[in-house]
Amino acid sequence: MAVKKNRPNRRKTSTGNRPIITLIVVAVILCAILVLLEWLKSTTSRVLEQKPPIAQEERHKLPARQSYNQIELQPYTSAMPEHKPQHKKKPVSVGTVAIIVDDMGTNLQEAKALMAINVPLTFSLIPGLPKVREVDKLASERGYQVMIHIPMEPKGYPKQRLEENGILLSQTDAEIEKRLGSYFKQVPHAAGANNHMGSRFSEDDQKMRLVLNQLKARSLFFVDSRTTPDSVGLSLARSMEVYAAGRNVFLDNTQDVPAITAQLEQLAALARKKGSAIGICHPHKTTIQALAIHLPRLKKEGIIFVPAGDLVR
């Protein structure tokens, strides 16, 4: 009977401790939750601090898109192109041109029509023509350079016509010097000279030396018209220290405006490529028409026109 009396006392003691245990468990759980939250907060902060800024991720930005007229298309290659620094393009040489108008001196109208183009052409006058002195004077007054167009013996002479006052291989040195002296008197403002015809005369070293000596004595330059590929004029002049140059393009062998236009374009292209070029033409109506149309255009495109004397060396 004593045992049965003691059991109610043990159940009473166990029931009385239960609220305290519950509180302890709840407190432990709350503490654990708080510790877990604090750990999560700390971990998140460290992760955020270690994350690089957004701007640093753009190390491989794509270049801005360009249109086809802004870029140069290259052949396909799987290799990465080598980076090269960008440099400003050097200006392209515009080209310098001198145009000599041969056979001048027949009349003043030709000279005035050419002057109206307002480009520094060079007039080469044949001594003995009726208006040589007048053209020489007018050109000098208006600032145009003048040359003497020396009539020289061509191949095929006498069947090939030549002015009566021309110089021939058969003439003595004294006769040639006399004729040259008359040329200088008729064209007193001449800055230089070039050969009219002369495909035979300009191949003769001794006779050409005689002519070049007369030019050198008067400080005149020489332009070899190159009427023959075997001319010694230019090389001999250089060896004698006479300022000289050679003709590059004949402009009007064909008397047709489109043909002359094509020759002018060739002259301009050569000048752009080499820096300078000399063209020779004649005062034909079609030539003057072509020059009047195209020289102002070429000038706007960058071609620099100068007197022939500016291109000798």
Side-chain angles (χ1 to χ4, degrees), residues 30-311:
L30 289 175
C31 289
I33 291 173
L34 290 174
V35 170
L36 180 60
L37 291 174
E38 189 65 27
W39 178 81
L40 290 173
K41 181 179 179 181
S42 175
T43 303
T44 303
S45 298
R46 286 197 303 269
V47 172
L48 291 175
E49 288 175 0
Q50 293 174 358
K51 186 177 180 180
I54 294 176
Q56 294 180 0
E57 294 180 351
E58 299 182 359
R59 288 175 294 179
H60 303 287
K61 292 175 65 176
L62 292 174
R65 185 181 296 275
Q66 293 176 300
S67 62
Y68 286 110
N69 60 358
Q70 292 176 311
I71 60 176
E72 181 181 357
L73 298 178
Q74 299 291 342
Y76 172 77
T77 174
S78 59
M80 292 296 291
E82 179 185 357
H83 175 73
K84 295 182 180 180
Q86 297 295 320
H87 298 287
K88 292 183 178 179
K89 292 183 178 180
K90 294 182 180 180
V92 178
S93 177
V94 294
T96 302
V97 167
I99 294 180
I100 300 171
V101 186
D102 281 351
D103 298 358
M104 295 290 288
T106 300
N107 58 64
L108 286 173
Q109 286 70 32
E110 294 170 345
K112 290 179 179 178
L114 289 163
M115 291 176 185
I117 300 173
N118 198 29
V119 167
L121 302 169
T122 302
F123 298 154
S124 191
L125 285 66
I126 297 178
L129 292 183
K131 297 294 180 179
V132 165
R133 296 180 187 273
E134 288 87 341
V135 173
D136 172 75
K137 182 174 181 294
L138 179 64
S140 176
E141 290 174 347
R142 298 194 181 182
Y144 286 81
Q145 194 170 75
V146 172
M147 297 170 59
I148 300 171
H149 200 28
I150 301 175
M152 296 181 180
E153 182 179 343
K155 293 177 180 178
Y157 179 84
K159 290 184 178 181
Q160 175 69 41
R161 187 184 67 83
L162 180 69
E163 283 72 16
E164 292 182 0
N165 62 342
I167 55 178
L168 308 171
L169 293 177
S170 59
Q171 294 169 348
T172 64
D173 291 357
E175 178 62 25
I176 291 174
E177 289 179 355
K178 179 181 177 181
R179 294 195 177 204
L180 289 171
S182 70
Y183 302 161
F184 300 133
K185 290 179 181 178
Q186 291 180 59
V187 192
H189 297 102
N194 69 329
N195 55 294
H196 168 53
M197 298 188 178
S199 55
R200 176 176 290 165
F201 194 98
S202 64
E203 292 179 354
D204 189 281
D205 186 281
Q206 189 271 327
K207 294 298 186 182
M208 281 301 299
R209 188 177 297 274
L210 183 65
V211 172
L212 292 169
N213 271 326
Q214 292 296 310
L215 296 180
K216 185 176 182 179
R218 292 168 174 80
S219 300
L220 303 183
F221 63 80
F222 176 70
V223 174
D224 192 340
S225 299
R226 288 175 171 164
T227 55
T228 170
D230 298 321
S231 172
V232 300
L234 180 58
S235 59
L236 186 59
R238 295 260 172 86
S239 70
M240 295 172 61
E241 298 184 344
V242 175
Y243 283 104
R247 182 271 311 165
N248 298 110
V249 180
F250 275 125
L251 299 175
D252 57 354
N253 282 341
T254 301
Q255 278 300 295
D256 175 75
V257 171
I260 297 169
T261 301
Q263 292 299 95
L264 282 169
E265 293 295 344
Q266 180 184 344
L267 180 66
L270 186 63
R272 292 187 182 103
K273 180 179 179 180
K274 294 189 174 182
S276 63
I278 296 176
I280 288 181
C281 62
H282 305 82
H284 305 301
K285 289 183 179 180
T286 49
T287 302
I288 295 173
Q289 181 184 356
L291 296 181
I293 293 171
H294 297 291
L295 296 194
R297 173 183 60 81
L298 290 172
K299 187 176 180 181
K300 289 181 180 179
E301 292 175 2
I303 293 296
I304 300 171
F305 291 97
V306 298
D310 286 15
L311 299 185

